[in-house]
Amino acid sequence: LYLTSPIFKLEDAIRQIASGNLSVRVGKIIGNRKDGIAQLAHGFDTMAERIESLLVSQRNLLRDISHELRSPLARLNVALELCRKQSDPETGKTLDRISRESEKLNELIGQILTMNRVDSGIAGLEMTVFSLALLVREVVDDADFEARTCARSVVITACDECTIKGDRQLLQSAVENVVRNAVLHTAEGTQVEVSLLSEPGESASSV
């Protein structure tokens, strides 16, 4: 027991670290031993402290960067409104597009903050039931607008009406990443085809 008990405690601490509990330490549990097991416990605690410190620093950095990005974004929106008052109808359409992209950037910043809070155990995902078809159409419309600037296009070949339960913003970001990657790797003068097909009998809670 003198030899195996601290080993079992170290094993339990390792499982806790793997499950996300970075505050676990084994030095005090091991006691005042002076052997190799004590050295192993000390090395484990040093490693755990370093990992926890690095992850906390990373989360703080993401939080600070996200907050700092929102300040110039707010000023950009003010400048857009000023330009809108002095613009003609044709220029107004371009400003509307810039405004929508600004809103999406703001949403992305919010997603970073949300994921940071979720990763820290502070908040959960915002689960709602929404139209997946509408989300795909919005993504394709935006992706096609971007693709046409580089002699490409994005079209929907099929889009079944269906609903899904999940975090809409995060799912939209995931779909956008897939479509944008497709645009990036397709040849000029060609198009990216997007299709959404739902299986019969699926419900919003099981999709």
Side-chain angles (χ1 to χ4, degrees):
L1 287 176
Y2 181 76
L3 292 175
T4 59
S5 178
I7 298 298
F8 292 147
K9 292 174 181 176
L10 275 170
E11 184 182 12
D12 180 64
I14 290 171
R15 283 196 295 267
Q16 291 188 56
I17 287 283
S19 66
N21 180 14
L22 301 180
S23 63
V24 63
R25 302 290 183 270
V26 296
K28 293 182 179 179
I29 300 175
I30 296 299
N32 297 320
R33 303 173 67 109
K34 302 297 182 182
D35 55 9
I37 292 179
Q39 293 179 5
L40 179 61
H42 176 72
F44 176 88
D45 286 350
T46 301
M47 176 198 69
E49 289 174 3
R50 180 60 175 162
I51 292 174
E52 184 177 27
S53 175
L54 288 173
L55 288 178
V56 168
S57 297
Q58 180 192 48
R59 291 166 184 167
N60 290 340
L61 178 62
L62 284 173
R63 180 197 63 204
D64 293 342
I65 290 176
S66 299
H67 283 300
E68 289 298 322
L69 284 173
R70 278 186 162 163
S71 295
L73 189 59
R75 291 192 292 270
L76 174 62
N77 288 330
V78 172
L80 275 173
E81 291 304 316
L82 292 175
C83 290
R84 198 187 304 276
K85 293 178 180 179
Q86 304 173 17
S87 65
D88 54 60
E90 190 62 32
T91 304
K93 294 179 181 178
T94 303
L95 292 177
D96 289 340
R97 167 59 64 172
I98 295 174
S99 179
R100 288 197 297 272
E101 297 303 328
S102 175
E103 290 174 2
K104 289 184 179 179
L105 180 57
N106 189 50
E107 290 175 358
L108 288 174
I109 293 172
Q111 290 174 26
I112 293 175
L113 292 172
T114 298
M115 291 303 297
N116 200 34
R117 290 195 297 270
V118 170
D119 190 44
S120 303
I122 298 174
L125 299 177
E126 186 177 348
M127 305 293 285
T128 59
V129 176
F130 58 90
S131 170
L132 184 59
L134 178 60
L135 183 148
V136 169
R137 285 193 289 267
E138 290 175 355
V139 170
V140 168
D141 181 61
D142 292 338
D144 184 60
F145 178 83
E146 298 174 13
R148 291 187 182 281
T149 62
C150 51
R152 298 171 176 86
S153 62
V154 183
V155 298
I156 294 179
T157 57
C159 191
D160 292 349
E161 292 298 331
C162 62
T163 57
I164 189 171
K165 184 176 182 180
D167 189 301
R168 193 183 194 282
Q169 289 186 347
L170 294 183
L171 183 58
Q172 180 171 341
S173 179
V175 176
E176 283 178 343
N177 286 337
V178 173
V179 175
R180 284 199 174 104
N181 282 334
V183 172
L184 181 64
H185 293 96
T186 194
E188 289 189 7
T190 61
Q191 65 184 20
V192 174
E193 297 180 348
V194 178
S195 61
L196 172 64
L197 303 174
S198 63
E199 293 293 333
E202 293 289 350
S203 64
S205 60
S206 59
V207 171

